[in-house]
């Protein structure tokens, strides 16, 4: 399957001193990405990269991503526009040296594999955009209707359902 937004870069073309590069998605690519990401719309996707080669084929990629997204509010189901601006840092590792680590340090730089001496900067930007999207987007000013919320002074309802450990609590009382 071809990526909707592909901007391949040969690792060998990155000079020893590093380089900067900007990738931008066309209107058609944005439409395809919106479908892939499950959002109503996407436009003006752009990512500026600073790329620095490292040892053994590694590349440190710092990125600054901007996009206009249309999302659907989880409360009102209305579409709304939002502007995203995210920065990220990843280390691109040759696929043959990449390994998933069960005990990853949450504060370390993310690592992503690449194959055949090619890093796809468009796909990398797409992945970072997908991570930045709010999974439960709220339209500014939207709120849950009053009929779905309990009044603040309401007494909690007594549960007729038995609690999971109530039988154990009763046994403990009987033993004492």
């Amino acid at each position: 399957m071809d990526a909707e937004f592909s901007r391949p870069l040969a690792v060998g073309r990155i000079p020893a001193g590093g380089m900067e590069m900007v990738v931008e998605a066309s209107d058609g690519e944005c439409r395809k990405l919106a479908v892939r990401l499950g959002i109503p719309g996407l436009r003006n996707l752009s990512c500026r990269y600073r790329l620095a080669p490292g040892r053994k084929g590694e590349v440190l990629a710092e990125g600054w991503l901007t996009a206009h997204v249309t999302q659907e509010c989880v409360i009102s189901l209305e579409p709304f526009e939002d502007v995203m601006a995210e920065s990220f840092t990843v280390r691109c590792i040759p696929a043959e040296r990449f390994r998933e680590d069960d005990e990853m340090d949450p504060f370390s730089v993310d690592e992503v594999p690449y194959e055949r001496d090619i890093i796809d900067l468009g796909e990398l930007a797409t992945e970072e955009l997908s991570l930045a999207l709010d999974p439960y987007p709220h339209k500014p000013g939207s709120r849950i209707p009053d009929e779905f919320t309990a009044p603040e002074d309401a007494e909690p309802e007594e549960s007729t359902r038995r609690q999971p450990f109530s039988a154990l609590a009763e046994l403990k009382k009987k033993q004492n």
Side-chain angles (χ1 to χ4, degrees), residues 8-153:
L9 173 68
V11 173
R13 296 193 59 147
I14 302 172
M19 66 185 281
E20 291 195 9
M21 184 173 197
V22 175
V23 296
E24 296 177 335
S26 69
D27 291 341
E29 290 168 328
C30 283
R31 282 191 296 277
K32 290 176 184 177
L33 284 173
V35 171
R36 173 178 166 186
L37 298 173
I39 57 176
L42 173 66
R43 60 189 172 85
N44 301 335
L45 173 59
S46 175
C47 190
R48 181 172 56 95
Y49 286 100
R50 183 180 309 141
L51 304 165
R55 57 181 172 71
K56 298 181 183 177
E58 293 180 5
V59 175
L60 185 67
E62 296 176 278
W64 295 269
L65 177 97
T66 58
H68 288 84
V69 297
T70 304
Q71 296 190 85
E72 191 173 274
C73 176
V74 295
I75 295 174
S76 67
L77 302 180
E78 295 176 283
F80 68 97
E81 297 285 321
D82 196 8
V83 176
M84 300 191 72
E86 295 290 326
S87 62
F88 60 91
T89 303
V90 297
R91 182 174 290 111
C92 302
I93 307 286
E96 61 274 4
R97 290 192 30 240
F98 180 78
R99 64 180 178 83
E100 293 282 340
D101 193 1
D102 292 339
E103 298 178 21
M104 291 182 61
D105 178 4
F107 300 106
S108 67
V109 173
D110 287 340
E111 294 182 346
V112 295
Y114 69 87
E115 294 184 14
R116 297 182 305 276
D117 195 41
I118 302 290
I119 296 173
D120 192 337
L121 298 177
E123 182 62 21
L124 185 56
T126 301
E127 290 173 6
E128 292 298 326
L129 173 63
S130 72
L131 292 171
L133 286 171
D134 185 351
Y136 304 104
H138 290 80
K139 181 178 179 179
S142 66
R143 56 187 217 92
I144 298 173
D146 292 336
E147 62 263 20
F148 296 114
T149 60
E152 289 181 24
D153 60 346

Side-chain angles (χ1 to χ4, degrees), residues 154-166:
E155 293 290 324
E157 291 183 26
E158 295 246 354
S159 176
T160 57
R161 195 178 101 186
R162 289 184 62 139
Q163 296 300 316
F165 296 105
S166 61

